[in-house]
Amino acid sequence: MYDVDDDFRRVLIDLSALTVASAGRRDRFFRATSTAARGTLTVLDTPRLPAHAFLRPGRRFPVLARYSNSVGTDDVKPTVRGLTLRLLEGDTGLLDLTFNTGPIFFASTAEIFRRTFGTPEERAEVIGERPEVRSVIWNNIRTAGSYATYDSYSQVPQGFVAEDGRQWLIRFRVHSVQESLVRGDFDHGDLWWPPDAPNEIPRPADDTREPAFLREELRTRLRTTGVRNVVRAQLHPLDGDPGTTETALDPARAWSEDRCPWFDLAELSLDASADDDSVIAIAFDPALAPPDLGIVLARSPHTTASLNHLRALIYRAASRARRGEAQPPELAKLLRPVRKNPAAPPAGSSWSAPARAA
């Protein structure tokens, strides 16, 4: 997790304001407004899933689910809606899966993510190089409908190693089976870019619903009908070619549904509210996974594996900071300043694929 180059360290240091903000607020900087539920996830018997030690047909996990808004405390304001699932064995977390509204992420690499939230000039350069970034980020934002009826996507691929040793990449999607999908697309009109956090998109002037509307609506569902979802998956085979794998790992690129069709992987049933205070204390971690579902790591921030690796390190640093805990020595070392003349992306930079899975 901590074996990264100096360019990656610079990205971490540039984004360390999130850690500082978490320490000052004693709360999450992003996704501070949330509500939680408990239930179960049951793996289905599907022919599309290669035999897998962790995701065995019929295996049943207790689940803690956390629904959230990306920014702000007013549910009615348009924003990215999120869902985090923790699969448990007793009180021990086995696997954390994070989801957002929107099929893909807007940044391909950690360095592009940093530049997008860097100076106005850096952001303009990114948009000039990749005009599609704007439409992707707007496509992740949803109006206030219901947490239970949004389609949510893991967006970032991670490793999948079958029992026979064959390596794949996997993406997940959570889809309601109770009622029709309510996308809640937001019409951004003339807005060029969403406001930078902690600023927010204003709520519609004629919308009088309470600021906790989505949270209360979800709690009502949990008390009455419960929330029934199916977890779907896509599998992308790896053929050993570094270029093919680099492309497949890109979180800003959807996989062909002809080659990698979605299939039903598991049933997700939520039927009880969880104590929100207990969930606040939990440090969700994208790198929490069994070895055969680990995230793919990268030394350089210029490769597509780096986005998820960066996310895991930032989650780890920010969660420690908001709880007033010391950083692991290896992470603290990475966050110390380095020289200020960033190198250009190395020619032909690459990474070692699932062999470096966390």
Side-chain angles (χ1 to χ4, degrees):
M1 282 292 294
Y2 305 114
D3 180 19
V4 298
D5 65 16
D6 280 350
D7 281 358
F8 207 130
R9 287 184 65 193
R10 291 188 192 91
V11 172
L12 278 170
I13 292 165
D14 282 352
L15 295 174
S16 62
L18 296 175
T19 303
V20 175
S22 298
R25 293 158 55 106
R26 284 292 190 265
D27 200 356
R28 293 177 172 90
F29 184 79
F30 290 109
R31 309 204 180 284
T33 302
S34 65
T35 193
R38 291 191 180 274
T40 58
L41 182 144
T42 305
V43 182
L44 301 173
D45 185 2
T46 171
R48 289 193 177 274
L49 185 72
H52 191 261
F54 186 80
L55 296 174
R56 302 188 300 270
R59 190 174 184 185
R60 187 180 176 92
F61 299 93
V63 169
L64 179 64
R66 180 176 182 268
Y67 292 88
S68 61
N69 303 323
S70 179
V71 294
T73 58
D74 185 347
D75 293 349
V76 179
K77 293 181 178 180
T79 188
V80 179
R81 315 295 178 177
L83 168 64
T84 301
L85 300 178
R86 171 163 286 185
L87 278 58
L88 299 158
E89 186 171 66
D91 294 328
T92 301
L94 302 178
L95 173 66
D96 282 354
L97 296 174
T98 58
F99 300 84
N100 286 316
T101 44
I104 56 175
F105 197 64
F106 64 90
S108 294
T109 69
E111 173 61 13
I112 292 172
F113 180 81
R114 183 203 66 78
R115 290 170 60 208
T116 303
F117 290 99
T119 66
E121 292 77 16
E122 286 178 315
R123 177 176 294 172
E125 287 175 357
V126 171
I127 300 301
E129 295 163 3
R130 299 168 177 258
E132 70 277 6
V133 165
R134 285 186 64 236
S135 62
V136 172
I137 200 167
W138 285 118
N139 190 44
N140 278 237
I141 292 173
R142 297 289 183 267
T143 58
S146 170
Y147 283 134
T149 60
Y150 296 126
D151 246 9
S152 299
Y153 298 80
S154 62
Q155 296 182 336
V156 183
Q158 62 192 75
F160 178 98
V161 182
E163 286 189 343
D164 63 6
R166 188 175 180 190
Q167 296 179 346
W168 309 67
L169 297 176
I170 190 168
R171 274 174 158 148
F172 302 96
R173 173 183 179 185
V174 175
H175 181 80
S176 173
V177 296
Q178 288 174 293
E179 53 193 280
S180 300
L181 167 68
V182 179
R183 283 185 54 90
D185 290 333
F186 173 64
D187 182 1
H188 61 86
D190 295 330
L191 291 175
W192 189 80
W193 189 263
D196 289 330
N199 300 310
E200 305 170 59
I201 300 170
R203 67 154 52 205
D206 59 349
D207 197 326
T208 61
R209 291 176 294 179
E210 294 295 321
F213 165 75
L214 287 178
R215 286 163 280 168
E216 293 301 329
E217 195 268 350
L218 179 65
R219 293 185 186 110
T220 298
R221 285 178 182 265
L222 293 170
R223 287 194 304 268
T224 54
T225 61
V227 175
R228 303 288 178 264
N229 296 106
V230 61
V231 179
R232 292 178 172 163
Q234 277 181 305
L235 283 169
H236 192 297
L238 295 179
D239 58 10
D241 177 70
T244 301
T245 306
E246 177 77 3
T247 299
L249 274 166
D250 189 345
R253 186 191 299 262
W255 294 340
S256 165
E257 294 192 21
D258 290 333
R259 185 184 182 199
C260 308
W262 289 102
F263 61 91
D264 291 355
L265 173 69
E267 293 178 348
L268 173 64
S269 298
L270 304 173
D271 52 17
S273 292
D275 176 53
D276 288 341
D277 289 339
S278 66
V279 177
I280 289 172
I282 291 178
F284 289 107
D285 185 348
L288 176 62
D292 49 15
L293 283 173
I295 68 170
V296 182
L297 304 180
R299 297 197 74 247
S300 165
H302 307 292
T303 61
T304 52
S306 65
L307 194 285
N308 211 19
H309 192 165
L310 172 70
R311 185 172 65 157
L313 291 172
I314 291 293
Y315 269 56
R316 192 163 293 185
S319 64
R320 292 244 178 186
R322 70 179 170 83
R323 293 181 296 173
E325 299 175 358
Q327 299 292 343
E330 303 94 335
L331 185 53
K333 181 179 179 180
L334 291 181
L335 293 171
R336 293 176 193 145
V338 293
R339 59 188 173 83
K340 295 183 178 295
N341 52 333
S349 60
S350 62
W351 47 273
S352 180
R356 284 177 49 82

